[in-house]
Amino acid sequence: MDSSAEQPSPDLPTLERMARMRKLWQWLALLIVSLLFAGALELAALPAALLIGPMLAAIVAGTNDATVRVPRLAFGAAQAIVGCLVAASISADIFPVFYREWPLFLGVVVATVTASSLLGWLISRWRILPGTTAVWGSSPGAATAMVLMAGAFGADQRLVAFMQYLRVIFVSMTAALVAKMWVDTSGIEIPAIIWFPPIDAQAFAATIGIALVGGLSGKLCRLPSPFFLGTFVFGTVVHLGLGVEMQLPPWLLAVSYAMVGWSIGLNFTRPILRHATRALPQIIASIVALIAFCGGLAFMISHLLGIDPLTAYLATSPGGMDSIAIIAAAAQNVDISFVMALQSARFLIVLLVGPSVARLVARSVRQARPPPQKLKIVQSNLSAMPLCNGPCQLGPLRGKNT
């Protein structure tokens, strides 16, 4: 037996030797590549650059045998900060608009969630992605929240992140292209990020306090994804009920996003990456189908209710809320309060009912699949069948896409 097969090749790329690097050098390499990726995505004006950049860098490191991992405490703290961000983004101003238009808002959100759940069900049913991963990955909004909660409910967090952030990019780019038909957005300048703004001691202390109390409460109540959900629930009550303002400086968000991105990306392996690549055409097709469905909803709303077409499209767009807000603000004829109220309502409803819908769809997928013993009997019967001399009348096997 050739012993050279057991020895590492001397001309392997440096990235494949990360396992032999000291952890300090691994962290340094990961930080540098994360900054490069995040900077490039920011220059390209792509959404969620501060999270996707570190996640891509961590995928590169994870698939090249990096041994470093984000400590659990740091990952929990990052989830709590994201929970504060979501809680602080919910404005009381959406409730009067929602009250006036609640039948329309509820109908649009239910239709969107139903369509996305059906797409997730089909991807799971056809075994393109394992388990409930496709159900969580197809959720029409709240990308970071869905990724954080998916792992607590048994889905593959890595593939959920892959689907969710791909959807965010596609939705934001499509909205920008559609908007160009109504308004010139080329002159819009995104406000420069002030990374280290003056700290409001009271608001910042409230943020840290809400993160600590919310995270510990979620843990004590044994919530799924306790640091995120506990902080989100507690922060929403304090923010809307008591009027407490929170301050989330960009440097704190950037660190939190990096922790979340690294935690997901470092767990990628080469087989997982190959699986995601093989499933890419079907995932893109499902994203395009969801965007087209929401575009159809916008067309119906515009023609039946006389709402401005761009307002209707931006309001029904399945995600990319930050980019939608920028585009809506640039157009003079767009009803931005209607757009943001519907977007916020979708975000909130998806966040609240998403786990229940995912469990329901996952249960139906499991019931629709034949049990393993039955599969073995069918396979043994098929293997015993003679080959056809002429055209065979057998239909396609459902278990082919494994």
Side-chain angles (χ1 to χ4, degrees):
M1 187 174 179
D2 187 4
S3 62
S4 63
E6 301 177 1
Q7 300 293 331
S9 174
D11 55 352
L12 283 175
T14 303
L15 281 173
E16 294 186 4
R17 301 177 184 174
M18 285 196 73
R20 296 199 295 272
M21 294 169 60
R22 291 184 177 182
K23 290 191 174 183
L24 178 62
W25 293 111
Q26 290 186 42
W27 280 120
L28 184 60
L30 180 60
L31 177 62
I32 292 173
V33 178
S34 298
L35 290 172
L36 291 174
F37 279 165
L41 293 174
E42 279 285 347
L43 288 175
L46 290 177
L50 297 178
L51 192 149
I52 296 176
M55 187 173 73
L56 291 176
I59 290 173
V60 172
T63 53
N64 286 281
D65 303 322
T67 58
V68 293
R69 293 293 183 271
V70 175
R72 285 188 177 184
L73 183 60
F75 184 44
Q79 292 184 67
I81 294 300
V82 174
C84 288
L85 173 67
V86 176
S89 67
I90 299 174
S91 172
D93 295 338
I94 71 168
F95 295 108
V97 181
F98 183 81
Y99 179 76
R100 290 197 307 268
E101 306 284 353
W102 72 265
L104 172 64
F105 282 19
L106 195 60
V108 170
V109 173
V110 168
T112 305
V113 171
T114 302
S116 65
S117 299
L118 176 61
L119 290 170
W121 185 87
L122 290 174
I123 294 175
S124 295
R125 182 73 177 83
W126 294 334
R127 301 185 182 183
I128 296 169
L129 291 175
T132 61
T133 298
V135 180
W136 288 94
S138 299
S139 177
T144 304
M146 291 297 109
V147 171
L148 292 176
M149 288 193 292
F153 285 92
D156 190 319
Q157 208 171 30
R158 300 162 295 188
L159 294 176
V160 172
F162 178 77
M163 289 185 69
Q164 281 287 347
Y165 294 117
L166 193 63
R167 174 189 58 80
V168 169
I169 291 172
F170 266 76
V171 167
S172 300
M173 293 177 66
T174 304
L177 291 174
V178 170
K180 284 184 181 296
M181 295 188 295
W182 278 276
V183 59
D184 181 16
T185 58
S186 59
I188 302 172
E189 292 187 6
I190 299 175
I193 299 175
I194 303 174
W195 290 103
F196 299 96
I199 296 296
D200 182 333
Q202 186 175 355
F204 188 71
T207 302
I208 302 301
I210 289 170
L212 287 172
V213 175
L216 290 175
S217 300
K219 197 74 174 171
L220 291 173
C221 295
R222 297 183 179 181
L223 294 176
S225 189
F227 297 104
F228 169 75
L229 274 181
T231 306
F232 163 67
V233 173
F234 180 67
T236 302
V237 171
V238 171
H239 175 57
L240 294 181
L242 302 179
V244 175
E245 295 296 327
M246 288 179 270
Q247 183 183 29
L248 292 148
W251 59 264
L252 181 61
L253 290 176
V255 171
S256 301
Y257 288 154
M259 293 297 157
V260 173
W262 286 345
S263 297
I264 296 166
L266 287 170
N267 287 316
F268 264 82
T269 61
R270 292 187 182 184
I272 285 289
L273 191 60
R274 284 195 294 268
H275 188 85
T277 304
R278 285 196 301 269
L280 185 61
Q282 293 93 329
I283 292 173
I284 291 177
S286 71
I287 293 171
V288 171
L290 183 60
I291 292 173
F293 177 81
C294 291
L297 284 179
F299 179 81
M300 290 176 56
I301 291 172
S302 177
H303 277 261
L304 294 177
L305 303 179
I307 296 174
D308 172 65
L310 184 56
T311 298
Y313 181 82
L314 294 177
T316 57
S317 182
M321 195 155 58
D322 294 342
S323 301
I324 297 297
I326 293 173
I327 296 169
Q332 306 210 350
N333 295 327
V334 168
D335 185 349
I336 190 168
S337 62
F338 180 87
V339 171
M340 296 315 298
L342 183 48
Q343 284 285 336
S344 300
R346 175 190 50 75
F347 176 88
L348 193 57
I349 292 173
V350 165
L351 198 61
L352 294 175
V353 307
S356 300
V357 171
R359 285 199 299 268
L360 179 64
V361 175
R363 192 180 303 119
S364 68
V365 169
R366 285 194 295 269
Q367 291 174 351
R369 289 177 180 170
Q373 188 63 31
K374 186 175 179 181
L375 276 176
K376 291 180 181 178
I377 294 172
V378 171
Q379 289 170 353
S380 62
N381 290 339
L382 286 174
S383 63
M385 293 178 68
L387 295 175
C388 301
N389 292 325
C392 289
Q393 300 300 316
L394 293 174
L397 296 179
R398 289 189 178 274
K400 188 174 180 182
N401 292 327
T402 55

